[in-house]
Amino acid sequence: MDINSLLKPFEHFGVNLGLSRIIKLLANLGNPHLQVPVIHVAGTNGKGSVCAYLHSILTEAGYKTGCYISPHLVDWTERICINKQPITTEKFSQLILQVQDAAQGDDEYPTQFEVITAAAWLYFAQAQVDVAVIEVGLGGRLDATNVCSDPMVTIITSISREHWQQLGPTVADIAREKAGIIKPGCPVVVGKLPPDAQKVVRSRAQELQSPYIEPKSAREISPGWAEYETQVNSSIIKYPLPLKGQIQLNNSALALAAVEILQNQGGNISPEAIVNGMSKTQWPGRMQWVSWKNHKLLIDGAHNPAAAQALRDYVDSLNTPGLTWVMGMLSTKEHRDIFQALLRSHNQLYLVPVPDHSSADPRELAQIATKICPELSKCQTYSDLTSALEAAVNDNNNQVVLCGSLYLIGHFFRHNR
């Protein structure tokens, strides 16, 4: 039986935040999460790349390193890795069946995310990893990953208004949920936050007597290279930065501040492991250059306004004369704000549905886009991604950027391996 069929029965439980089900489920499995040293990472944007940096550095340092992320782009197995090797389909299926058995008889059935999260904890405990880098799924306080009572370090990368339907209408509400991963006395590394959010997170850290570390952004020293000033003695670490965009100066600094904390806790992470780990970091589908039918495409999730702004900043740094956006978005996203961040006069826009998900209607998106940016030189809708990409690359010599949803990027990868 494949993973999709095994997970299908849990789909209809949807997003249902809360810890009671996962705590009961993990107890039935022997509390594997209590056997795994953890780095816990939350944030609106940037948490995936911070996890990727840490996973790579700790692997290079010789630690058996687990990493749990979501969502996946192509295959469920991408979510659970040890030393950059995804779990096998066979092992994942076996763990899901084990989790399913443990859930039998409970009065409340777990959600799909809870089942996968329990499988990840079980896998890491069975493999006896030295450390697991765990990415929050949604929010923090009530997320299924928030069962670790004593993490080595927690990280909050950024906070902006996303998933407000579940987390609350204001940035302060969202910050309160994300600050829920902070644990008593455990250091928290925090990125640049809006003032309202920073106030909430700082106050929660003080309340729990958790050291609050807000590292300075790294500095670009040459294309693809950056330097970071350490917290303790202000020494300088120079390292390669393979992930694109100015935003990675912030994200890499958060990862390195966390590494510093681990070193202070006795972790053996050499400067060489940091440089090699950084140079080998990969985070597909985020500001990534790919070749499609002999054309160079830039692809990125850019699924919320802050991520869209980071993508726009990167595109602006390229000084590209003409731009064509190929976009699809989920119905729940902030379409107007994303378009506002991305679109400029004389850009072209090709809109498509996001297959197999709750997609926004491309025709409705076209109406919003032309209101936001009436000077678009073209705004067209297509029924599928391939025909939109073909039209985009054949129309002119514009740089084509595919973005708007990680699920759309996953669909692109699935059909263009």
Side-chain angles (χ1 to χ4, degrees), residues 76-141:
W76 287 102
T77 57
E78 296 165 33
R79 294 183 178 222
I80 304 174
C81 298
I82 293 178
N83 288 2
K84 300 191 182 177
Q85 293 305 306
I87 188 172
T88 63
T89 302
E90 296 71 31
K91 181 65 179 169
F92 202 173
S93 303
Q94 181 197 325
L95 289 170
I96 291 165
L97 289 170
Q98 200 176 336
V99 172
Q100 240 173 335
D101 284 347
Q104 300 299 336
D106 279 349
D107 49 357
E108 220 183 341
Y109 226 52
T111 65
Q112 190 181 75
F113 184 70
E114 287 164 351
V115 169
I116 301 164
T117 303
W121 287 119
L122 206 48
Y123 184 55
F124 296 149
Q126 288 172 2
Q128 296 183 315
V129 297
D130 298 313
V131 58
V133 182
I134 304 284
E135 180 187 0
V136 166
L138 199 159
R141 182 175 67 92

Side-chain angles (χ1 to χ4, degrees), residues 49-368:
S49 48
V50 168
C51 288
Y53 289 130
L54 289 168
H55 186 190
S56 192
I57 290 169
L58 292 169
T59 300
E60 281 298 309
Y63 290 101
K64 190 173 194 180
T65 309
C67 189
Y68 177 53
I69 55 110
S70 60
H72 60 277
L73 289 177
V74 177
D75 195 280
W76 287 102
T77 57
E78 296 165 33
R79 294 183 178 222
I80 304 174
C81 298
I82 293 178
N83 288 2
K84 300 191 182 177
Q85 293 305 306
I87 188 172
T88 63
T89 302
E90 296 71 31
K91 181 65 179 169
F92 202 173
S93 303
Q94 181 197 325
L95 289 170
I96 291 165
L97 289 170
Q98 200 176 336
V99 172
Q100 240 173 335
D101 284 347
Q104 300 299 336
D106 279 349
D107 49 357
E108 220 183 341
Y109 226 52
T111 65
Q112 190 181 75
F113 184 70
E114 287 164 351
V115 169
I116 301 164
T117 303
W121 287 119
L122 206 48
Y123 184 55
F124 296 149
Q126 288 172 2
Q128 296 183 315
V129 297
D130 298 313
V131 58
V133 182
I134 304 284
E135 180 187 0
V136 166
L138 199 159
R141 182 175 67 92
L142 297 175
D143 185 73
T145 62
N146 197 29
V147 288
C148 39
S149 55
D150 188 23
M152 300 162 88
V153 57
T154 57
I155 304 171
I156 298 174
T157 58
S158 66
I159 294 175
S160 58
R161 195 171 175 271
E162 195 191 26
H163 298 302
W164 55 270
Q165 300 94 331
Q166 290 96 351
L167 303 180
T170 70
V171 163
D173 291 325
I174 293 167
R176 215 161 279 118
E177 292 302 311
K178 295 195 188 298
I181 71 162
I182 302 172
K183 301 297 185 300
C186 167
V188 55
V189 176
V190 184
K192 292 176 172 45
L193 305 183
D196 287 2
Q198 190 196 49
K199 191 176 168 187
V200 169
V201 175
R202 198 181 272 283
S203 146
R204 183 64 179 151
Q206 280 170 347
E207 197 182 310
L208 296 175
Q209 298 184 311
S210 304
Y212 183 99
I213 296 102
E214 191 179 341
K216 279 190 281 193
S217 183
R219 200 171 64 84
E220 187 175 31
I221 46 176
S222 63
W225 278 82
E227 62 178 25
Y228 164 79
E229 188 180 313
T230 63
Q231 300 292 304
V232 176
N233 54 13
S234 299
S235 60
I236 299 294
I237 300 173
K238 298 185 180 187
Y239 56 94
L241 199 52
L243 305 187
K244 306 290 181 228
Q246 283 289 110
I247 195 72
Q248 295 305 336
L249 295 171
N250 292 323
N251 294 341
S252 62
L254 295 173
L256 291 176
V259 165
E260 241 189 297
I261 289 164
L262 299 177
Q263 288 170 324
N264 295 338
Q265 291 172 355
N268 184 14
I269 307 162
S270 67
E272 292 74 29
I274 292 172
V275 169
N276 293 338
M278 280 295 188
S279 73
K280 293 178 185 176
T281 300
Q282 292 182 318
W283 189 227
R286 285 79 170 179
M287 295 196 209
Q288 181 184 357
W289 289 97
V290 296
S291 181
W292 185 79
K293 299 193 176 180
N294 296 321
H295 291 273
K296 206 176 171 193
L297 301 184
L298 176 62
I299 60 174
D300 186 65
H303 59 289
N304 59 42
Q309 189 56 58
L311 173 59
R312 183 71 225 193
D313 292 344
Y314 176 59
V315 168
D316 286 345
S317 76
L318 303 172
N319 295 318
T320 308
L323 264 183
T324 298
W325 302 95
V326 177
M327 293 182 69
M329 288 191 254
L330 296 186
S331 57
T332 52
K333 297 298 178 179
E334 310 273 351
H335 310 132
R336 185 174 297 281
D337 293 344
I338 291 171
F339 283 141
Q340 197 104 46
L342 292 178
L343 302 179
R344 302 290 181 271
S345 57
H346 308 303
N347 288 181
Q348 296 188 344
L349 178 61
Y350 294 71
L351 292 157
V352 299
V354 180
D356 308 319
H357 286 87
S358 170
S359 178
D361 183 331
R363 289 163 304 183
E364 288 174 17
L365 290 179
Q367 288 174 351
I368 296 168

Side-chain angles (χ1 to χ4, degrees), residues 389-406:
L389 282 173
E390 277 169 354
V393 298
N394 291 331
D395 259 6
N396 49 39
N397 292 320
N398 279 6
Q399 175 57 60
V400 177
V401 185
L402 169 61
C403 67
S405 167
L406 281 170

